[in-house]
């Protein structure tokens, strides 16, 4: 393995900034309206009909579904509802076990928590289902004197109600998920073109950051393209998003990175910006005769490859016809070692939290396991920072709930407040984990307040804060500190994978182009696949880096030390892409020997070579691989061999 030199200290302000980082996000109008209506309306109707408790059970179900909804396709979110609703509803069955001896209760909690953590490896829907099951189970274990069959049935009512609201949005705006990511993709490509043109003009280094954004936008679009086809008659006159369109966009990105003609890049930028504006305009008008005019390509722009691929993207975007994108399977079956280890940590912490019935002397002890399962979800980022943010956010949320309970009369007015808080959840959970807790905590407190009404209900907020601190402490000690595996940042392994993928891309790019059209097409497909694999591995590396930066101590210092090397790897990948573009144009000859040798050097710099050593010759100082060689030398100077991340 390799790693950079790790500094002895890291400024506390750097870690605090990483933990409290607020991500940019657009306000999800449909999701927020659906969350507010689905949670607040059942509560208000229940109050007006004298069935407040039943309204609360429905609202609790829809609150969990709103928090579990992803900013993805309708197909994904319907699958989440279909999978998570029956699994989560079964959590109420643990209510029948709440009077068992505590050792038996703790054992049952450990088993079900392990199962809930393990099924996270089956896909997004099962990951959400596992979390919701544990949340419901925590309430069922801690709230006495409830008809759990009724609560289970009303959870299904909440699931149907939430699915109905989602279906209404799908009928009104059938392709909203695709439109959002398509606008983002075209905008990111336009930004990449602007950055590339600026770099060609003044020799700057803006392309790498812009290409990262374009890669992320492309990957998001690929995920949304698995949506079930929903093509109104006007769609063939407006725009289409399918696998062919995304492949064309990917080719445009590659040739933007490889471009050396500033005028051609600027022309591509103008056209991509116009295409993004056109797709955005369809959100406001679906009339057949309302297609904004996209500026045509210059008469000479189709002569160069960038212009031709931009033309192709424009043509495919307006091609119409049936969708050509295969649907992704809902079941992924990736029960990896990491998933199993996370399930073990979750099982231990959840069992200890359920034992709070013995050592937490308050009626709402069940908020301890509830907090644990929220914090411990393995797909939410750093465990340590989640625990810190959960405590901070819940403390603020509990204070909000206390003010509401003291100031707002009991009854339907509380339901309006619950609806408003729930409407904020989708946006806030996109911005920050702490902000998400600020909205969810008071909504849950106000909902559960119905179970034990009266003047003392405001004290539940104090209990919630105490239980949250207790749950956070359990997670930090038994889910983090005692597990060396969980404190490793794993950047060196991910870095090695990315370097190997870059090496594969370079070796293919340097190979001769076969004379046979069929063989040439196969080589081209392999080359495109290698480039996508390299950029995908670099995206995984960036994700791992951001996640590790939120860790305290040596984990955060290790991540901070990797930043220059990761940036150099991005630049190296872009240089390889530029080299592949020159080879595609026939501007430079094949050089399989030098390409193979340098590919091995790249893999060796990653610390995990997957090819046998070759005799290394010095690079021709005037050759086409000079730039790659120079960046590789710079990258190598930033890392050194180590056993593993410390």
């Amino acid at each position: 393995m390799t790693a950079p030199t790790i500094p002895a200290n890291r400024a506390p302000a750097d870690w605090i900034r990483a933990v409290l980082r607020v991500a940019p996000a657009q306000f999800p109008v449909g999701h927020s309206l659906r969350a507010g209506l689905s949670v607040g309306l059942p509560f208000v109707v229940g109050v007006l009909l004298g069935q407040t408790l039943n309204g609360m059970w429905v609202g609790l179900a829809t609150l969990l579904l709103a928090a579990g909804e992803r900013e993805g396709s309708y197909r994904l979110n319907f699958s989440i509802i279909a999978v998570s609703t029956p699994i989560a509803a079964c959590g109420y069955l643990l209510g029948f076990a709440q009077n068992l001896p505590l050792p038996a209760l703790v054992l049952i909690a450990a088993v079900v928590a392990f199962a809930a953590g393990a099924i996270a490896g089956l896909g997004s829907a099962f990951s959400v289902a596992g979390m919701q099951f544990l949340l419901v189970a925590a309430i069922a274990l801690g709230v006495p004197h409830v008809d759990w069959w009724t609560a289970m049935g009303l959870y299904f009512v909440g699931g149907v109600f939430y699915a109905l609201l989602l279906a209404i949005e799908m009928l009104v705006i059938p392709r909203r998920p695709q439109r959002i990511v398509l606008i983002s993709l075209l905008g990111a490509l336009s930004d990449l073109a602007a950055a590339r043109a600026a770099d060609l003009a003044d020799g700057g280094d803006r392309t790498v950051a812009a290409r990262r954004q374009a890669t992320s936008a492309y990957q998001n679009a690929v995920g949304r393209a698995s949506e079930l086809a929903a093509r109104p008659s006007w769609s063939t006159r407006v725009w289409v998003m399918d696998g062919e369109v995304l492949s064309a966009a990917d080719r445009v990105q590659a040739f933007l990175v490889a471009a050396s003609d500033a005028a051609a890049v600027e022309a591509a930028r103008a056209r991509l910006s116009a295409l993004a504006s056109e797709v955005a305009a369809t959100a406001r008008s679906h009339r057949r005769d309302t297609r904004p005019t996209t500026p045509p390509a210059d008469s000479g722009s189709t002569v160069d490859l960038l212009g031709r691929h931009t033309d192709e993207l424009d043509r495919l975007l307006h091609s119409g016809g049936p969708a050509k994108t295969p649907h992704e399977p809902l079941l992924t079956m990736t029960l990896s070692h990491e998933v199993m280890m996370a399930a073990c940590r979750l099982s231990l912490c959840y069992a200890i939290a359920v034992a709070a019935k013995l050592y937490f002397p308050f009626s709402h002890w069940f908020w301890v396991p509830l907090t644990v399962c929220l914090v411990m979800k393995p797909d939410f980022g750093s465990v340590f920072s989640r625990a810190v943010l959960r405590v901070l956010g819940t403390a603020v949320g509990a204070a909000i709930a206390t003010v509401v309970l003291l100031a707002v009369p009991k009854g339907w007015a509380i339901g309006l407040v619950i609806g408003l808080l729930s409407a904020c959840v989708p946006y806030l959970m996109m911005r920050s984990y702490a902000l998400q807790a600020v909205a969810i905590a008071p909504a849950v407190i106000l909902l559960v307040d119905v179970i034990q009404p009266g003047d003392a209900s405001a004290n539940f907020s104090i209990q919630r804060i105490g239980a949250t601190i207790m749950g956070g402490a359990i997670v930090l000690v038994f889910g983090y500190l005692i597990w060396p595996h969980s404190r490793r940042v794993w950047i060196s392994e991910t870095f090695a994978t990315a370097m190997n993928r870059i090496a594969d891309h370079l070796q293919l790019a340097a190979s001769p182009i076969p004379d046979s059209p069929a063989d040439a097409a196969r080589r081209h497909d392999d080359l495109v696949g290698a480039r996508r694999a390299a950029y995908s591995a670099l995206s995984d590396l960036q994700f791992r880096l951001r996640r590790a930066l939120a860790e305290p101590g040596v984990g955060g210092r290790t991540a901070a030390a990797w930043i220059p090397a990761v940036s150099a790897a991005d630049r190296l990948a872009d240089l390889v892409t530029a080299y592949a573009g020159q080879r595609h144009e026939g501007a430079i000859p094949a050089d399989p020997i030098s390409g193979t040798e340098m590919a091995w050097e790249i893999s060796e710099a990653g610390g995990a070579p997957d090819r046998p050593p070759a005799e290394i010759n010095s690079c021709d100082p005037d050759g086409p691989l000079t730039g790659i060689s120079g960046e590789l030398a710079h990258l190598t100077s930033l890392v050194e061999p180590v056993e593993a991340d410390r």
Side-chain angles (χ1 to χ4, degrees):
M1 293 297 172
T2 61
T5 301
I6 302 173
N9 295 301
R10 181 190 184 199
D14 293 337
W15 176 74
I16 292 173
R17 280 194 295 268
V19 170
L20 298 180
R21 184 179 67 89
V22 177
Q26 292 185 341
F27 190 83
V29 177
H31 190 178
S32 293
L33 287 175
R34 184 160 50 254
L37 284 173
S38 65
V39 180
L41 187 59
F43 190 95
V44 172
V45 171
V47 171
L48 296 177
L49 296 179
Q51 300 290 326
T52 305
L53 187 59
N54 290 338
M56 183 278 294
W57 291 123
V58 175
L60 183 62
T62 53
L63 176 61
L64 295 182
L65 290 169
E69 182 177 331
R70 299 291 183 259
E71 288 303 309
S73 67
Y74 292 120
R75 177 176 182 260
L76 171 64
N77 284 306
F78 277 121
S79 70
I80 288 175
I81 296 171
V83 170
S84 67
T85 299
I87 292 176
C90 288
Y92 284 123
L93 293 176
L94 269 71
F96 296 108
Q98 62 181 220
N99 293 322
L100 289 176
L102 186 59
L105 204 60
V106 170
L107 179 61
I108 292 173
V111 171
V112 298
F114 178 83
I119 65 173
L122 301 180
S124 298
F126 289 91
S127 177
V128 172
M131 183 193 71
Q132 293 179 353
F133 172 87
L134 292 179
L135 289 169
V136 170
I139 295 173
L141 288 170
V143 178
H145 313 303
V146 172
D147 181 357
W148 296 115
W149 293 115
T150 298
M152 183 183 296
L154 291 174
Y155 197 99
F156 280 98
V157 172
V160 171
F161 181 44
Y162 197 83
L164 176 62
L165 293 178
L166 183 62
I168 291 173
E169 180 185 305
M170 187 183 71
L171 292 174
V172 175
I173 318 174
R175 297 197 302 164
R176 178 192 62 84
Q178 294 95 330
R179 187 188 70 241
I180 290 173
V181 294
L182 183 57
I183 293 171
S184 176
L185 175 59
L186 294 172
L189 290 175
S190 177
D191 292 342
L192 173 59
R196 185 61 181 160
D199 286 351
L200 291 172
D202 60 17
D205 190 22
R206 309 171 187 86
T207 301
V208 170
R211 197 269 306 149
R212 284 178 183 168
Q213 295 298 320
T215 299
S216 177
Y218 167 77
Q219 291 174 337
N220 288 339
V222 169
R224 301 284 173 88
S226 62
E227 167 74 355
L228 292 170
R231 290 172 173 268
S233 60
W234 50 265
S235 69
T236 56
R237 297 289 299 273
V238 184
W239 56 266
V240 169
M241 190 183 89
D242 60 12
E244 291 186 351
V245 170
L246 297 180
S247 294
D250 180 55
R251 289 189 288 273
V252 169
Q253 173 184 318
F255 283 97
L256 281 173
V257 172
S260 57
D261 185 337
V265 173
E266 176 57 30
R269 184 207 62 77
R271 296 190 66 199
L272 291 166
S273 178
L275 289 172
S277 298
E278 174 184 334
V279 175
T282 63
R284 298 182 291 271
S285 176
H286 294 164
R287 296 193 300 271
R288 285 176 172 266
D289 58 349
T290 314
R291 174 184 167 183
T293 303
T294 302
D298 295 335
S299 58
S301 67
T302 55
V303 175
D304 64 274
L305 286 170
L306 176 58
R308 288 209 301 271
H309 286 301
T310 307
D311 290 342
E312 180 188 33
L313 174 59
D314 191 345
R315 177 181 61 79
L316 290 171
L317 194 65
H318 303 101
S319 62
K324 303 177 180 66
T325 304
H327 297 148
E328 293 294 326
L330 298 179
L331 204 63
T332 57
M333 293 299 293
T334 54
L335 298 179
S336 64
H337 174 72
E338 189 170 353
V339 171
M340 292 295 102
M341 291 298 295
C344 289
R345 296 196 299 271
L346 175 62
S347 175
L348 175 62
C349 292
Y350 196 74
I352 294 172
V354 169
K357 185 176 183 180
L358 175 65
Y359 61 78
F360 191 74
F362 299 102
S363 60
H364 282 59
W365 63 268
F366 61 88
W367 267 319
V368 179
L370 188 146
T371 297
V372 164
C373 66
L374 281 174
V375 174
M376 289 280 304
K377 285 303 293 178
D379 51 344
F380 281 173
S382 162
V383 169
F384 186 91
S385 62
R386 267 203 316 276
V388 172
L389 293 177
R390 177 71 184 171
V391 171
L392 293 176
T394 300
V396 175
I400 293 173
T402 300
V403 172
V404 171
L405 288 169
L406 293 174
V408 179
K410 294 295 181 67
W412 60 269
I414 292 288
L416 294 181
V417 176
I418 292 172
L420 291 174
L421 289 169
S422 302
C424 296
V425 169
Y427 178 66
L428 294 181
M429 71 182 187
M430 295 167 64
R431 301 298 305 276
S432 164
Y433 191 76
L435 294 178
Q436 175 187 0
V438 168
I440 289 182
V444 173
I445 290 171
L446 295 175
L447 281 169
V448 179
D449 173 65
V450 174
I451 299 176
Q452 296 180 1
D455 295 337
S457 61
N459 293 329
F460 294 165
S461 299
I462 304 301
Q463 291 191 30
R464 173 71 170 183
I465 295 174
T468 299
I469 294 173
M470 182 67 67
I474 290 171
V475 169
L476 291 179
V477 175
F478 298 99
Y480 181 78
L481 294 176
I482 69 171
W483 298 79
H485 175 93
S486 70
R487 300 198 302 275
R488 288 189 60 189
V489 294
W490 303 99
I491 295 178
S492 61
E493 292 86 348
T494 315
F495 180 79
T497 298
M499 294 295 282
N500 282 332
R501 300 294 81 76
I502 296 171
D504 294 339
H505 187 201
L506 174 60
Q507 188 167 3
L508 275 169
S511 65
I513 299 176
D515 294 329
S516 166
D519 291 340
R522 279 193 293 271
R523 176 192 176 276
H524 176 73
D525 290 342
D526 290 342
L527 188 66
V528 170
R531 173 173 52 79
R532 291 176 178 173
Y535 283 144
S536 177
L538 287 169
S539 293
D540 292 342
L541 181 58
Q542 285 289 331
F543 172 78
R544 183 75 70 175
L545 185 66
R546 289 193 299 270
R547 182 172 179 173
L549 283 170
E551 294 289 346
V554 69
R557 295 202 306 273
T558 299
W562 271 105
I563 292 175
V566 172
S567 297
D570 274 310
R571 291 191 296 271
L572 181 66
D574 287 348
L575 288 171
V576 172
T577 296
Y579 171 76
Q582 292 176 310
R583 289 278 298 113
H584 186 76
E585 293 174 358
I588 53 177
D591 191 354
I593 295 177
S594 296
T596 299
E597 291 173 348
M598 191 165 293
W600 186 85
E601 291 184 10
I602 292 172
S603 187
E604 184 182 42
D610 59 358
R611 47 181 60 77
E615 182 181 351
I616 306 302
N617 299 321
S618 60
C619 180
D620 181 358
D622 299 320
L625 295 173
T626 301
I628 297 175
S629 178
E631 188 61 50
L632 177 59
H634 172 64
L635 186 153
T636 303
S637 70
L638 297 173
V639 297
E640 61 184 11
V642 296
E643 291 296 326
D645 290 332
R646 291 183 283 274

